[in-house]
């Protein structure tokens, strides 16, 4: 089935316009915050009512949510760091949300405190959520729900022009087409030709957002992938374990950051203490690089992207 | 003790054929030599220990879950009826996911309130399929032979094709194929990869021409394959599906009032005879040597976290 043309019209109320923020969930926010700072993000604000911190670098906003993770009972989750949400910018968040529900999305009940924004959300892969945000032009959602950290630059510049490039999602065996259709039907994502590839990990299928500003890479993890990628970047390690194939933990696995100068970004980040996979296959190379051994089990992929970063607001 | 014979492990029993509590049904099915079981929502929600206890019992049985049934009268409704059925569908999907089932069976609507437009039916099935994606569930849509608009397999295939959702496919039930006297060549038009489940049964009289007769027979008088008067037709159906390339599961969908007042072990033994007849005589698979038998598998179903819905 082809993509609904109305979603490709940037003037349509339900159309998407990029990524507003990415949210991580962790019971150890300080450890993850340290990782983000190594990667060039700076803490700029605290949530008014919850244990949630906002980090920023250039046009990228990252939220660390320790609120939900600390309320979980399962001690096995204590070390788990997850990409727990992605917020899409929409021309009209309510319209995009209603359209998604009409086509089979699960509504997420939101719990807001007094004077906080009610940001509509649907369920994404695994336990993750997809938010719709339309207040990013005249004012931002953060001015309502967050309190700025005093004496901190609220607009820290990006290292080597880093900006959102995309997200990598792991899918279970035989589930690739299901997820392609899900993203096409609900948001208007479309697969790009198989011979068009970015970065250093050309696996899986790549979907382009309807606004053509970012990508989703859907990957069926395999033992080969696990051999190439740092194990700490694969928190679903069971996928590579003999006898447990098929029990892939479907989830948002890592972030892709775009830059026109991958090697320059690698030099700058190495100087801050970030290590990168170093191999003929995995780079670092002009086309991309992959972090290695970052604390808290997170990973970032750098991808060559000559497009200018989207504006902040 | 589960017996693995290798040549009929793709045949499974359905809990609706047996009397007693869930644990007794599972034990009888496993002791009967089966490795998989088709469950009904009733098995979970009526368990005295609750849904979680029922799911634990299924996992402890070592039986693989063939599928979960059944969502009825879902498609082509409007307004409040549609919203109501979406809530029901969501709840069924949550149960299905908690159980670790990868297939939800959906029967074609019998409601006179439903629209008869096939594009409308396809649109709702596509919506249901999208709802099922994050749960990791495939939807098997089955033409009930007394369905209002969709009552034959070719019509069900037509709307599945129109819906064009990868995780939406067909459920094929031999009873309904026999009831509507469907020629086997109708299956040739179906993409066999889109058959997500096959349910097998027979019955004890030749024809069921009216909807009332079909309903009565389907709900009370089915028997296992090889026990009824359509033995040759059931055998032909199975052979035809396998020849087309079907490699999925066959579940015995046998609603029978006598069987639910007999000892489960007795009924499971009859089901076992049906599986061996299909595996060895109909499909003529060789009986494997003891050294070729697989080791008993652990349950591979990983329960997915239930999705919390809007209250």
């Amino acid at each position: 089935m082809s993509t609904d043309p109305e979603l490709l019209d940037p003037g349509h109320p339900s159309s998407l316009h990029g990524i507003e923020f990415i949210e991580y969930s962790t019971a150890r926010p300080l450890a993850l915050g340290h990782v983000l700072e190594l990667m060039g993000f700076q803490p700029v604000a605290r949530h008014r009512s919850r244990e949630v911190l906002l980090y920023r670098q250039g046009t990228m906003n990252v939220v660390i949510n320790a609120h939900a993770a600390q309320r979980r009972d399962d001690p096995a989750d204590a070390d788990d760091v997850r990409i727990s949400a992605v917020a899409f910018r929409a021309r009209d968040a309510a319209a995009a949300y209603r359209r998604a529900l009409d086509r089979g999305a699960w509504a997420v009940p939101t719990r807001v405190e007094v004077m906080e924004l009610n940001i509509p959300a649907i369920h994404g892969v695994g336990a993750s959520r997809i938010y719709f945000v339309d207040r990013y032009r005249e004012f931002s959602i953060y001015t309502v729900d967050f309190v700025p950290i005093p004496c901190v630059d609220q607009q820290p510049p990006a290292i080597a022009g880093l900006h959102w490039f995309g997200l990598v999602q792991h899918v279970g065996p035989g589930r690739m087409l299901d997820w392609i259709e899900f993203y096409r039907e609900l948001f208007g994502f479309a697969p790009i030709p198989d011979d068009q590839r970015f970065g250093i990990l050309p696996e899986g299928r790549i979907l382009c957002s309807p606004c053509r500003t970012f990508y989703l890479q859907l990957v069926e993890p395999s033992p080969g992938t696990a051999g190439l990628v740092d194990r700490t970047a694969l928190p679903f390690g069971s996928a590579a374990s003999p006898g447990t194939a098929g029990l892939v933990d479907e989830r948002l696995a890592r972030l892709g950051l775009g830059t026109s100068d991958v090697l320059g970004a690698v030099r700058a980040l190495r100087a801050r203490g970030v290590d990168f996979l170093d191999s003929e296959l995995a780079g670092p190379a002009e086309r991309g690089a992959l972090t290695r051994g970052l604390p808290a089990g997170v990973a970032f992929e750098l991808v060559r992207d000559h497009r200018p970063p989207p504006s902040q607001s | 003790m589960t017996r693995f014979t290798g040549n009929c492990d793709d045949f499974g029993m359905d809990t609706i054929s047996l009397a007693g509590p869930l644990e007794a049904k599972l034990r009888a099915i496993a002791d009967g030599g089966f490795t998989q079981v088709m469950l009904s929502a009733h098995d979970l929600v009526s368990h005295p220990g609750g849904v979680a206890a029922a799911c634990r019992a299924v996992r402890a049985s070592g039986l693989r879950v063939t599928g979960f049934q059944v969502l009825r009268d879902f498609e082509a409704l409007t307004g409040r009826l549609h919203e109501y059925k979406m809530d029901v569908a969501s709840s069924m999907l949550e149960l299905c996911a908690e159980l670790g089932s990868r297939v939800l069976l959906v029967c074609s609507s019998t409601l006179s309130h439903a629209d008869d437009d096939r594009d409308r039916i396809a649109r709702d099935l596509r919506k249901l399929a999208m709802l099922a994606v994050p749960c990791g569930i495939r939807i098997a849509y089955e033409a009930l032979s007394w369905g209002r608009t969709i009552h034959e397999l070719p019509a069900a295939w037509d709307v599945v094709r129109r819906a064009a959702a990868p995780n939406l496919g067909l459920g094929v039930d031999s009873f309904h194929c026999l009831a509507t006297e469907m020629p086997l060549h109708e299956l040739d038009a179906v993409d066999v990869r889109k058959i997500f489940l096959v349910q097998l049964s027979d019955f004890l009289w030749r024809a069921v021409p009216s909807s009332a007769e079909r309903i009565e027979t389907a709900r009370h008088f089915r028997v296992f394959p090889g026990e009824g008067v359509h033995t040759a037709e059931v055998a032909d159906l199975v052979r035809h599906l396998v020849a087309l390339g079907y490699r999925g599961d066959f579940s015995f969908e046998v609603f029978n009032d006598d069987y639910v007042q007999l000892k489960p072990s007795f009924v499971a033994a009859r089901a076992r005879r049906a599986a061996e007849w299909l595996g060895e005589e109909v499909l003529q698979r060789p009986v494997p040597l003891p050294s070729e038998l697989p080791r008993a598998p652990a349950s591979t179903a990983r329960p997915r976290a239930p999705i919390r819905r809007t209250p």
Side-chain angles (χ1 to χ4, degrees), chain A residues 1-2 97 101-109 123-127 173 175 177-179 181-186 238 246-250, chain B residues 86 89-91 93-94 102 126-128 130-138 162-167 300-302 304 307-311:
Chain A
M1 191 163 275
S2 59
Y97 174 66
L101 294 186
D102 284 346
R103 282 158 178 77
W106 293 79
V108 175
H123 281 285
V125 61
R175 298 259 296 149
L177 295 178
D178 299 5
W179 281 108
E181 208 59 32
F182 178 85
Y183 286 114
R184 187 207 308 269
E185 176 76 355
L186 268 53
S238 61
L247 296 187
V248 172
D249 185 7
E250 292 190 329
Chain B
M86 281 300 296
S90 303
S91 197
L93 284 168
E94 286 179 310
R102 300 297 301 274
R126 181 172 171 82
K127 181 175 180 178
L128 177 65
M130 292 305 115
L131 197 69
V133 168
C135 310
I137 291 170
R138 302 199 296 173
R162 291 181 196 218
N167 63 329
T300 56
R302 164 177 284 190
R304 287 168 186 273
I307 286 177
R308 300 268 176 254
R309 296 183 299 129
T310 306

Side-chain angles (χ1 to χ4, degrees), chain A residues 252-274:
Chain A
L252 295 171
R254 63 176 180 269
L255 299 179
L257 309 181
T259 172
S260 59
D261 180 9
V262 170
L263 294 179
V266 167
R267 277 194 301 276
L269 291 171
R270 274 184 168 154
R272 301 171 67 89
V274 177

Side-chain angles (χ1 to χ4, degrees), chain B residues 3-191:
Chain B
R3 293 201 315 266
F4 295 94
T5 59
N7 58 2
C8 45
D9 285 345
D10 44 356
F11 298 98
M13 278 194 76
D14 191 313
T15 53
I16 52 95
S17 301
L18 299 172
L22 177 61
E23 284 81 353
K25 294 181 180 186
L26 296 169
R27 195 160 51 244
I29 292 169
D31 287 349
F34 290 94
T35 57
Q36 57 179 301
V37 58
M38 180 89 188
L39 289 116
S40 302
H42 184 75
D43 294 320
L44 305 191
V45 299
S46 66
H47 193 283
V51 170
C55 293
R56 280 196 299 274
V58 173
R59 282 192 283 279
S61 75
L63 293 166
R64 180 167 64 82
V65 178
T66 314
F68 185 66
Q69 60 180 350
V70 58
L71 177 61
R72 298 185 184 90
D73 299 322
F74 168 76
E75 68 274 26
L77 299 170
T78 55
R80 288 288 173 87
L81 257 174
H82 174 71
E83 291 171 19
Y84 164 78
K85 273 297 177 183
M86 281 300 296
D87 283 347
V88 172
S90 303
S91 197
M92 289 287 286
L93 284 168
E94 286 179 310
L95 287 171
C96 191
E98 191 167 350
L99 177 63
S101 170
R102 300 297 301 274
V103 174
L104 173 67
L105 184 68
V106 179
C107 290
S108 61
S109 180
T110 62
L111 288 182
S112 58
H113 306 281
D115 198 328
D116 60 1
D117 178 66
R118 288 191 181 185
D119 283 330
R120 177 61 205 274
I121 293 169
R123 194 160 68 241
D124 282 353
L125 291 175
R126 181 172 171 82
K127 181 175 180 178
L128 177 65
M130 292 305 115
L131 197 69
V133 168
C135 310
I137 291 170
R138 302 199 296 173
I139 305 295
Y141 182 62
E142 172 186 300
L144 274 187
S145 53
W146 58 90
R148 176 169 182 261
T149 303
I150 306 300
H151 42 78
E152 294 190 325
L153 185 138
W157 171 238
D158 179 48
V159 293
V160 164
R161 202 177 42 76
R162 291 181 196 218
N167 63 329
L168 172 68
L170 284 180
V172 176
D173 186 326
S174 67
F175 174 84
H176 301 297
C177 297
L178 293 170
T180 56
E181 299 180 354
M182 183 193 78
L184 281 185
H185 67 75
E186 296 282 10
L187 283 169
D188 299 348
V190 173
D191 179 350

